[in-house]
């Protein structure tokens, strides 16, 4: 029965770089023997330690805490470590379950999007919506960077951007031009938010294809409001229902436009 293993054998067995094995030795976590040619020889004791290191590193334990545990193993310490491992595993299970729920929700939403009425003006009664925003002078091509910048500030309560309503708040300039004022993330699952979009009636329109048609459609919506005597509110929004996160084909993009209406 073989009792000693060379560094290259251990490296292949555990899929771990030889530099990492040397680093563990420097930290005092591994103690390989040396043969007459000064080559490292790893024993079954080192393999046991590598099993512990691998499992604890996968759970996020620091090298310092792993070293302390390996050097001070007792039944009490082992039980304490097992309790901490169980706590971390349960937390990961909760996170994975939430991620699964988010994915199922997004999948259902994508399927439902196939039935949306395109280029049709409709009035929607909408509830209050939680929202966070980031002021920007960006153009559409920069949206992913802006969304990532915004989500970074709220990463503790956002699992997957695609499971929230994302888009731009829009403003009309003095020369009647529409431009993006800020990028936003909205959703009832937000645990932290800056403000809420008011409940009420919104003029809504979906269209399919490249997003460069938004301003053309918005001008039509504003004209529709004028013709029907609707007074617009403070919020005009462009939502990215389906975009580059779900498809590379621009013809499959779906954009949602909303204009808040007053006194309806």
């Amino acid at each position: 029965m073989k009792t000693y293993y060379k560094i290259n054998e251990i490296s292949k067995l555990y899929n771990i770089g030889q530099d990492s094995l040397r680093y563990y030795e420097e930290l005092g976590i591994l103690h390989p023997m040396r043969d007459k040619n000064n080559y490292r020889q790893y024993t079954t004791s080192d393999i046991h330690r590598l099993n512990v290191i691998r499992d604890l590193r996968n759970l996020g334990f620091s090298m310092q805490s792993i070293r302390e545990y390996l050097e001070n193993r007792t039944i009490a310490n082992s039980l304490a470590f097992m309790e901490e491992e169980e706590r971390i595993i349960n937390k990961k299970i909760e996170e994975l379950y939430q991620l699964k729920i988010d994915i199922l929700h997004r999948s259902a939403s994508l399927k439902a999007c196939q039935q949306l009425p395109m280029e049709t003006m409709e009035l929607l009664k909408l509830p209050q919506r939680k929202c966070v925003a980031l002021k920007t002078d960006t153009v559409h091509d920069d949206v992913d960077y802006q969304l990532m910048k915004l989500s970074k500030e709220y990463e503790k309560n956002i699992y997957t951007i695609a499971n929230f309503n994302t888009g731009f708040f829009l403003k009309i300039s003095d020369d009647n031009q529409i431009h993006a004022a800020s990028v936003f993330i909205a959703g009832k699952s937000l645990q932290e938010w800056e403000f809420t979009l008011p409940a009420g009636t919104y003029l809504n329109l979906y269209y399919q294809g490249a997003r460069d048609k938004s301003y053309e459609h918005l001008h039509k919506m504003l004209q529709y409001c004028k013709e029907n005597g609707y007074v617009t509110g403070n919020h005009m929004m462009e939502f990215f229902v389906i975009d580059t996160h779900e498809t590379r084909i621009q013809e499959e993009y779906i954009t949602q436009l909303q204009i808040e209406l007053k006194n309806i």
Side-chain angles (χ1 to χ4, degrees):
M1 178 179 176
K2 189 172 182 178
T3 57
Y4 298 104
Y5 301 86
K6 297 178 180 178
I7 190 170
N8 64 318
E9 293 177 307
I10 295 296
S11 177
K12 290 179 181 178
L13 180 63
Y14 282 89
N15 193 28
I16 185 173
Q18 295 185 24
D19 287 343
S20 294
L21 291 171
R22 296 186 186 98
Y23 174 62
Y24 294 161
E25 185 178 351
E26 291 176 10
L27 291 177
I29 295 178
L30 292 181
H31 308 282
M33 300 175 64
R34 300 280 180 157
D35 65 12
K36 62 182 180 180
N37 295 317
N38 205 34
Y39 291 131
R40 292 174 175 82
Q41 292 184 317
Y42 293 87
T43 66
T44 53
S45 175
D46 293 312
I47 290 177
H48 167 74
R49 282 173 169 259
L50 275 172
N51 286 332
V52 174
I53 293 168
R54 178 193 58 196
D55 293 343
L56 295 183
R57 287 297 287 167
N58 286 339
L59 291 174
F61 284 92
S62 69
M63 294 304 299
Q64 179 62 30
S65 62
I66 295 173
R67 180 171 131 181
E68 291 175 358
Y69 168 64
L70 288 172
E71 297 303 322
N72 300 282
R73 287 195 306 281
T74 64
I75 291 178
N77 286 344
S78 292
L79 287 172
F81 248 76
M82 289 176 187
E83 289 176 0
E84 180 62 11
E85 286 179 271
E86 182 182 5
R87 184 192 67 79
I88 293 173
I89 289 170
N90 286 336
K91 183 179 179 181
K92 287 182 179 292
I93 290 172
E94 291 175 8
E95 291 173 350
L96 287 171
Y97 177 76
Q98 182 61 55
L99 187 58
K100 178 182 178 181
I101 294 299
D102 286 349
I103 291 171
L104 290 174
H105 172 75
R106 186 56 183 165
S107 175
S109 296
L110 283 175
K111 293 175 183 177
C113 285
Q114 309 307 311
Q115 309 302 320
L116 292 173
M118 295 296 149
E119 301 194 24
T120 301
M121 306 280 186
E122 56 182 346
L123 298 181
L124 298 182
K125 290 282 187 181
L126 297 174
Q128 190 178 72
R129 290 171 282 179
K130 302 173 184 176
C131 195
V132 294
L134 178 70
K135 290 182 180 179
T136 178
D137 293 325
T138 186
V139 295
H140 287 284
D141 289 341
D142 203 30
V143 63
D144 284 331
Y145 173 78
Q146 297 294 333
L147 283 174
M148 286 304 298
K149 186 176 179 181
L150 178 59
S151 65
K152 185 67 176 177
E153 298 181 16
Y154 294 88
E155 62 184 349
K156 291 184 179 179
N157 65 71
I158 294 177
Y159 282 94
T160 308
I161 289 180
N163 287 301
F164 294 84
N165 295 316
T166 60
F168 283 119
F169 284 117
L170 303 167
K171 296 291 184 183
I172 302 178
S173 60
D174 294 336
D175 59 356
N176 205 35
Q177 295 298 311
I178 299 172
H179 62 92
S182 58
V183 67
F184 68 84
I185 298 173
K188 64 181 181 180
S189 298
L190 286 174
Q191 298 174 19
E192 300 175 14
W193 61 95
E194 295 176 3
F195 57 93
T196 56
L197 295 172
T201 302
Y202 290 77
L203 180 63
N204 187 83
L205 180 141
Y206 295 99
Y207 76 89
Q208 197 160 13
R211 293 208 310 266
D212 57 7
K213 299 293 184 181
S214 287
Y215 297 162
E216 176 185 332
H217 286 296
L218 280 164
H219 280 297
K220 291 179 181 179
M221 294 173 72
L222 291 170
Q223 182 62 31
Y224 181 86
C225 290
K226 184 177 180 180
E227 293 172 355
N228 289 275
Y230 297 141
V231 179
T232 59
N234 297 323
H235 298 96
M236 184 165 62
M237 294 158 288
E238 175 183 353
F239 293 89
F240 314 137
V241 179
I242 293 180
D243 62 5
T244 186
H245 292 96
E246 294 83 21
T247 178
R248 296 179 60 187
I249 304 172
Q250 287 196 356
E251 288 74 15
E252 293 183 338
Y253 287 6
I254 294 179
T255 302
Q256 180 182 20
L257 303 173
Q258 285 185 3
I259 299 176
E260 180 188 7
L261 302 179
K262 292 183 177 179
N263 305 320
I264 295 182

